[in-house]
């Protein structure tokens, strides 16, 4: 074997990057449009820029895969053979990866569309449909944030259960257990309610406004 197995996907990544950049004269309009999209609401959101931002909202999984690939290469894990005793660095299980960067990637396309809607309202002063559309993306961002911090909430609650249980052995179990149950139900109910509301709002908006099927 001339090269470790990890070099072959690395070559594919480098080739993909090269195709996205060169020849620059042909790729420059693409990157200019992407720059105008990610710097919203500085630039006026034209139909094309709005379309690109909508495409970004459908590419969240792709962006997550790109992040995973970058971390896989930068960490050097691609150099570790499959039959090696050396353990990978497990960066995909770290706090910054799961609870910081991944939620930011999920939120960023929604934030772009949200800011574009606000920019359109600022330019036209028309509350409908721009503020109503912005509210749709605000709801989606709320659901994403709650989904991201939901595991942290459960972890905190589980730690509290251990502490409460140790105290309740000497006192009354019924005094502490219902309080934890109500807290869990309240958080779950709020998250599920926001999720259902956001899904129905987005569905109605797409059907009646974007597709004109109402």
């Amino acid at each position: 074997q001339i090269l470790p197995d990890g070099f072959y996907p690395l070559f594919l990544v480098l080739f993909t990057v090269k195709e996205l950049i060169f020849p620059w004269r042909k790729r420059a309009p693409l990157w200019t449009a992407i720059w105008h999209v990610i710097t919203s609401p500085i630039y006026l959101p034209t139909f094309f820029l709005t379309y690109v931002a909508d495409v970004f909202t459908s590419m969240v999984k792709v962006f997550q895969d790109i992040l995973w690939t970058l971390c896989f290469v930068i960490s050097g894990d691609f150099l570790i053979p499959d039959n090696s005793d050396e353990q990978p660095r497990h960066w995909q299980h770290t706090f910054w990866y799961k609870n910081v960067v991944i939620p930011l990637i999920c939120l960023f396309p929604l934030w772009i569309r949200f800011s574009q809607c606000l920019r359109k309202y600022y330019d036209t002063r028309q509350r409908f449909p721009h503020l109503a559309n912005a509210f749709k993306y605000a709801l989606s961002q709320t659901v994403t944030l709650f989904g991201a911090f939901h595991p942290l909430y459960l972890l905190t609650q589980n730690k509290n259960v251990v502490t409460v249980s140790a105290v309740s052995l000497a006192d009354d179990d019924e005094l502490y257990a219902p309080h934890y149950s109500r807290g869990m139900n309240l958080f779950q109910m709020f998250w599920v309610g926001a999720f259902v509301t956001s899904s129905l709002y987005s569905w109605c908006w797409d059907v009646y406004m974007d597709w004109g099927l109402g």
Side-chain angles (χ1 to χ4, degrees), residues 135-154:
F135 181 68
K136 179 184 74 171
Y137 292 105
L139 274 178
S140 299
Q141 291 178 77
T142 302
V143 172
T144 302
L145 281 175
F146 269 82
F149 291 106
H150 185 235
L152 296 180
Y153 177 83
L154 291 179

Side-chain angles (χ1 to χ4, degrees), residues 16-85:
T16 303
V17 172
K18 178 257 180 187
E19 290 297 313
L20 288 173
I21 298 177
F22 302 104
W24 177 249
R25 191 169 68 176
K26 293 183 178 180
R27 301 293 186 265
L30 169 66
W31 289 105
T32 301
I34 292 176
W35 173 253
H36 288 176
V37 169
I38 64 178
T39 54
S40 299
I42 298 176
Y43 295 96
L44 178 66
T46 62
F47 173 80
F48 177 70
L49 297 182
T50 302
Y51 174 77
V52 174
D54 279 333
V55 172
F56 279 3
T57 60
S58 303
M59 293 180 61
V60 172
K61 186 62 174 66
V62 176
F63 295 149
Q64 292 178 0
D65 292 341
I66 293 175
L67 172 66
W68 191 95
T69 302
L70 290 175
C71 295
F72 180 72
V73 172
I74 294 174
S75 65
D77 285 350
F78 73 99
L79 296 174
I80 302 177
D82 293 337
N83 56 356
S84 174
D85 295 333

Side-chain angles (χ1 to χ4, degrees), residues 33 113 168:
R113 287 294 293 122
S168 62

Side-chain angles (χ1 to χ4, degrees), residues 114-129:
F114 175 75
S115 61
Q116 285 182 339
C117 293
L118 294 183
R119 173 59 189 269
K120 289 183 178 180
Y121 167 71
Y122 177 81
D123 292 335
T124 64
R125 295 300 178 182
Q126 295 178 356
R127 296 182 179 180
F128 190 86

